[in-house]
C-alpha cells in the first residue's frame, strides 16, 4: 500500500523557518512527482510546490517563490520543503502528494486531483 508520511510541522514565530519532510515506506519516491499542498481553515487546498521525478526541476506558487525550497534526497527516500520567512498567512495543514510517473511536474501541478497518493498532513502554525 502506498503511504506518504509528513513530518516537521509545528509552531513558529513570524519570520521563522521550518523544514517539512515527506517520506514513504514500501515504495520508492524517486519514481513520483511530489507536490506539496496546504489547506487553511475555510479555504481550498492550494498547491505550494512540485518537484519532478526525472530531472529534479522545481515549481512554486507565486505566493512562496523565493521563500520556500523543495528538494529530494532519493537515497533517503524523502522530499523536503524548506520554508523561510514564514508569515501568519502560511498557517495551514501541509500535505505531500505523489503523482506516479517519470518526468517533469505537469503544467497544472497545483491541481490536487492529479495526485493519487496523499499523506495525512502536518500542521504549521505561524504566530507570535
Amino acid at each position: 500500500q502506498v503511504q506518504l508520511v509528513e513530518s516537521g510541522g509545528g509552531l513558529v514565530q513570524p519570520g521563522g523557518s521550518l523544514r517539512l519532510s515527506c517520506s514513504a515506506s514500501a515504495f520508492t519516491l524517486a519514481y513520483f512527482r511530489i507536490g506539496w499542498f496546504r489547506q487553511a481553515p475555510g479555504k481550498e487546498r492550494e498547491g505550494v510546490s512540485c518537484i519532478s521525478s526525472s530531472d529534479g526541476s522545481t515549481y512554486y506558487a507565486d505566493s512562496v517563490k523565493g521563500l520556500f525550497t523543495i528538494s529530494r534526497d532519493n537515497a533517503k527516500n524523502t522530499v523536503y520543503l524548506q520554508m523561510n520567512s514564514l508569515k501568519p498567512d502560511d498557517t495551514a495543514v501541509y500535505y505531500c502528494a505523489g503523482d506516479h510517473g517519470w518526468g517533469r511536474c505537469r503544467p497544472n501541478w497545483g491541481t490536487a486531483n492529479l495526485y493519487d497518493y496523499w499523506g495525512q498532513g502536518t500542521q504549521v502554525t505561524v504566530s507570535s
Side-chain angles (χ1 to χ4, degrees):
Q1 181 180 357
V2 175
Q3 191 169 10
L4 299 173
V5 179
E6 304 96 337
S7 61
L11 173 64
V12 63
Q13 293 188 341
S17 298
L18 281 175
R19 188 177 78 161
L20 305 182
S21 299
C22 174
S23 60
S25 58
F27 68 96
T28 303
L29 280 182
Y31 300 110
F32 287 76
R33 305 171 184 91
I34 297 295
W36 281 99
F37 288 76
R38 65 186 179 185
Q39 189 165 21
K43 294 188 177 181
E44 291 189 357
R45 194 165 294 193
E46 171 192 20
V48 174
S49 184
C50 182
I51 188 164
S52 303
S53 53
S54 54
D55 62 1
S57 53
T58 57
Y59 304 80
Y60 298 94
D62 286 344
S63 57
V64 305
K65 204 170 290 185
L67 301 174
F68 290 9
T69 303
I70 191 171
S71 62
R72 66 194 310 154
D73 185 338
N74 289 337
K76 294 184 177 180
N77 208 30
T78 301
V79 172
Y80 303 100
L81 185 68
Q82 177 68 42
M83 306 186 295
N84 297 329
S85 301
L86 285 162
K87 303 181 288 256
D89 283 350
D90 295 315
T91 295
V93 177
Y94 284 71
Y95 301 87
C96 66
D99 171 19
H100 188 240
W102 187 253
R104 291 188 170 183
C105 294
R106 303 177 194 272
N108 53 342
W109 61 265
T111 303
N113 62 16
L114 287 182
Y115 298 83
D116 297 317
Y117 307 102
W118 290 82
Q120 81 290 348
T122 186
Q123 176 70 46
V124 171
T125 303
V126 185
S127 174
S128 54

mmCIF file of all heavy atoms in Angstrom, residues 3 6 10 13-14 22 31 37 39 44 50 55 60 69 72 112 128:
data_model
loop_
_atom_site.group_PDB
_atom_site.id
_atom_site.type_symbol
_atom_site.label_atom_id
_atom_site.label_comp_id
_atom_site.label_asym_id
_atom_site.label_seq_id
_atom_site.Cartn_x
_atom_site.Cartn_y
_atom_site.Cartn_z
ATOM 1 N N GLN A 3 1.933 4.711 0.935
ATOM 2 C CA GLN A 3 1.660 5.583 2.062
ATOM 3 C C GLN A 3 2.736 6.651 2.150
ATOM 4 O O GLN A 3 3.927 6.349 2.146
ATOM 5 C CB GLN A 3 1.617 4.774 3.355
ATOM 6 C CG GLN A 3 1.091 5.548 4.550
ATOM 7 C CD GLN A 3 0.823 4.651 5.741
ATOM 8 O OE1 GLN A 3 1.196 3.487 5.737
ATOM 9 N NE2 GLN A 3 0.155 5.177 6.743
ATOM 10 N N GLU A 6 4.137 12.830 6.304
ATOM 11 C CA GLU A 6 4.744 14.133 6.503
ATOM 12 C C GLU A 6 5.186 14.287 7.955
ATOM 13 O O GLU A 6 4.573 13.727 8.864
ATOM 14 C CB GLU A 6 3.756 15.277 6.178
ATOM 15 C CG GLU A 6 3.155 15.242 4.790
ATOM 16 C CD GLU A 6 1.801 14.575 4.775
ATOM 17 O OE1 GLU A 6 1.524 13.776 5.684
ATOM 18 O OE2 GLU A 6 1.009 14.848 3.843
ATOM 19 N N GLY A 10 4.831 22.404 13.053
ATOM 20 C CA GLY A 10 4.871 22.905 14.427
ATOM 21 C C GLY A 10 4.499 24.360 14.495
ATOM 22 O O GLY A 10 3.995 24.935 13.522
ATOM 23 N N GLN A 13 7.401 31.355 15.101
ATOM 24 C CA GLN A 13 7.108 32.792 15.098
ATOM 25 C C GLN A 13 7.227 33.350 13.686
ATOM 26 O O GLN A 13 7.962 32.800 12.854
ATOM 27 C CB GLN A 13 8.067 33.519 16.032
ATOM 28 C CG GLN A 13 7.860 33.175 17.502
ATOM 29 C CD GLN A 13 8.701 34.049 18.410
ATOM 30 O OE1 GLN A 13 9.681 34.658 17.985
ATOM 31 N NE2 GLN A 13 8.305 34.128 19.681
ATOM 32 N N PRO A 14 6.525 34.439 13.409
ATOM 33 C CA PRO A 14 6.685 35.090 12.105
ATOM 34 C C PRO A 14 8.161 35.397 11.821
ATOM 35 O O PRO A 14 8.892 35.844 12.709
ATOM 36 C CB PRO A 14 5.871 36.380 12.261
ATOM 37 C CG PRO A 14 4.833 36.034 13.272
ATOM 38 C CD PRO A 14 5.514 35.105 14.238
ATOM 39 N N CYS A 22 8.727 14.578 3.708
ATOM 40 C CA CYS A 22 7.727 13.644 3.163
ATOM 41 C C CYS A 22 8.467 12.351 2.852
ATOM 42 O O CYS A 22 9.372 12.350 2.011
ATOM 43 C CB CYS A 22 7.095 14.230 1.911
ATOM 44 S SG CYS A 22 5.969 13.106 1.033
ATOM 45 N N TYR A 31 10.326 7.642 -8.253
ATOM 46 C CA TYR A 31 9.517 7.485 -9.452
ATOM 47 C C TYR A 31 8.207 8.253 -9.392
ATOM 48 O O TYR A 31 7.287 8.005 -10.172
ATOM 49 C CB TYR A 31 9.247 6.000 -9.700
ATOM 50 C CG TYR A 31 10.524 5.222 -9.895
ATOM 51 C CD1 TYR A 31 10.968 4.319 -8.939
ATOM 52 C CD2 TYR A 31 11.315 5.424 -11.018
ATOM 53 C CE1 TYR A 31 12.150 3.621 -9.106
ATOM 54 C CE2 TYR A 31 12.499 4.734 -11.187
ATOM 55 C CZ TYR A 31 12.913 3.822 -10.228
ATOM 56 O OH TYR A 31 14.079 3.150 -10.390
ATOM 57 N N PHE A 37 1.091 20.604 -0.829
ATOM 58 C CA PHE A 37 -0.132 21.388 -0.807
ATOM 59 C C PHE A 37 -0.362 21.893 0.615
ATOM 60 O O PHE A 37 0.200 21.358 1.575
ATOM 61 C CB PHE A 37 -1.330 20.533 -1.234
ATOM 62 C CG PHE A 37 -1.354 20.204 -2.697
ATOM 63 C CD1 PHE A 37 -0.515 19.236 -3.222
ATOM 64 C CD2 PHE A 37 -2.215 20.859 -3.556
ATOM 65 C CE1 PHE A 37 -0.521 18.929 -4.580
ATOM 66 C CE2 PHE A 37 -2.250 20.565 -4.906
ATOM 67 C CZ PHE A 37 -1.390 19.599 -5.418
ATOM 68 N N GLN A 39 -3.682 23.579 3.207
ATOM 69 C CA GLN A 39 -5.086 23.937 3.350
ATOM 70 C C GLN A 39 -5.302 24.627 4.680
ATOM 71 O O GLN A 39 -5.062 24.050 5.737
ATOM 72 C CB GLN A 39 -5.984 22.706 3.230
ATOM 73 C CG GLN A 39 -7.457 23.033 3.158
ATOM 74 C CD GLN A 39 -8.292 21.863 2.679
ATOM 75 O OE1 GLN A 39 -7.878 20.708 2.757
ATOM 76 N NE2 GLN A 39 -9.484 22.159 2.172
ATOM 77 N N GLU A 44 -9.689 26.516 0.223
ATOM 78 C CA GLU A 44 -9.429 25.351 -0.622
ATOM 79 C C GLU A 44 -7.971 24.916 -0.491
ATOM 80 O O GLU A 44 -7.101 25.719 -0.129
ATOM 81 C CB GLU A 44 -9.744 25.702 -2.083
ATOM 82 C CG GLU A 44 -11.228 25.915 -2.347
ATOM 83 C CD GLU A 44 -11.517 26.053 -3.829
ATOM 84 O OE1 GLU A 44 -10.565 26.048 -4.630
ATOM 85 O OE2 GLU A 44 -12.700 26.180 -4.171
ATOM 86 N N CYS A 50 6.165 21.737 -6.410
ATOM 87 C CA CYS A 50 6.274 20.404 -7.006
ATOM 88 C C CYS A 50 7.712 20.162 -7.420
ATOM 89 O O CYS A 50 8.412 21.102 -7.845
ATOM 90 C CB CYS A 50 5.355 20.289 -8.215
ATOM 91 S SG CYS A 50 5.354 18.664 -9.010
ATOM 92 N N ASP A 55 14.248 15.003 -13.553
ATOM 93 C CA ASP A 55 15.420 15.880 -13.525
ATOM 94 C C ASP A 55 15.472 16.769 -12.294
ATOM 95 O O ASP A 55 16.344 17.632 -12.200
ATOM 96 C CB ASP A 55 15.475 16.743 -14.787
ATOM 97 C CG ASP A 55 14.264 17.661 -14.927
ATOM 98 O OD1 ASP A 55 13.388 17.639 -14.044
ATOM 99 O OD2 ASP A 55 14.208 18.395 -15.935
ATOM 100 N N TYR A 60 6.946 26.443 -8.159
ATOM 101 C CA TYR A 60 6.431 27.070 -6.942
ATOM 102 C C TYR A 60 5.214 27.936 -7.248
ATOM 103 O O TYR A 60 5.127 28.556 -8.320
ATOM 104 C CB TYR A 60 7.503 27.953 -6.305
ATOM 105 C CG TYR A 60 8.728 27.198 -5.883
ATOM 106 C CD1 TYR A 60 9.832 27.096 -6.719
ATOM 107 C CD2 TYR A 60 8.778 26.575 -4.632
ATOM 108 C CE1 TYR A 60 10.956 26.385 -6.324
ATOM 109 C CE2 TYR A 60 9.902 25.868 -4.230
ATOM 110 C CZ TYR A 60 10.980 25.779 -5.085
ATOM 111 O OH TYR A 60 12.089 25.073 -4.685
ATOM 112 N N THR A 69 11.699 26.248 -0.523
ATOM 113 C CA THR A 69 12.531 25.451 -1.422
ATOM 114 C C THR A 69 12.169 23.984 -1.273
ATOM 115 O O THR A 69 12.208 23.444 -0.164
ATOM 116 C CB THR A 69 14.022 25.645 -1.105
ATOM 117 O OG1 THR A 69 14.356 27.031 -1.199
ATOM 118 C CG2 THR A 69 14.875 24.854 -2.088
ATOM 119 N N ARG A 72 14.732 16.917 -2.985
ATOM 120 C CA ARG A 72 14.543 15.489 -2.738
ATOM 121 C C ARG A 72 15.893 14.818 -2.513
ATOM 122 O O ARG A 72 16.902 15.219 -3.113
ATOM 123 C CB ARG A 72 13.774 14.821 -3.887
ATOM 124 C CG ARG A 72 14.436 14.756 -5.217
ATOM 125 C CD ARG A 72 13.440 14.385 -6.329
ATOM 126 N NE ARG A 72 12.657 13.226 -5.981
ATOM 127 C CZ ARG A 72 11.431 12.981 -6.467
ATOM 128 N NH1 ARG A 72 10.869 13.813 -7.323
ATOM 129 N NH2 ARG A 72 10.778 11.889 -6.114
ATOM 130 N N ALA A 112 -5.045 19.361 -7.273
ATOM 131 C CA ALA A 112 -4.967 18.257 -6.319
ATOM 132 C C ALA A 112 -5.356 16.911 -6.933
ATOM 133 O O ALA A 112 -4.754 15.890 -6.603
ATOM 134 C CB ALA A 112 -5.835 18.557 -5.103
ATOM 135 N N SER A 128 2.893 34.703 16.790
ATOM 136 C CA SER A 128 3.723 35.204 17.878
ATOM 137 C C SER A 128 3.050 34.957 19.218
ATOM 138 O O SER A 128 3.616 35.302 20.260
ATOM 139 C CB SER A 128 4.000 36.698 17.675
ATOM 140 O OG SER A 128 2.782 37.410 17.528
#
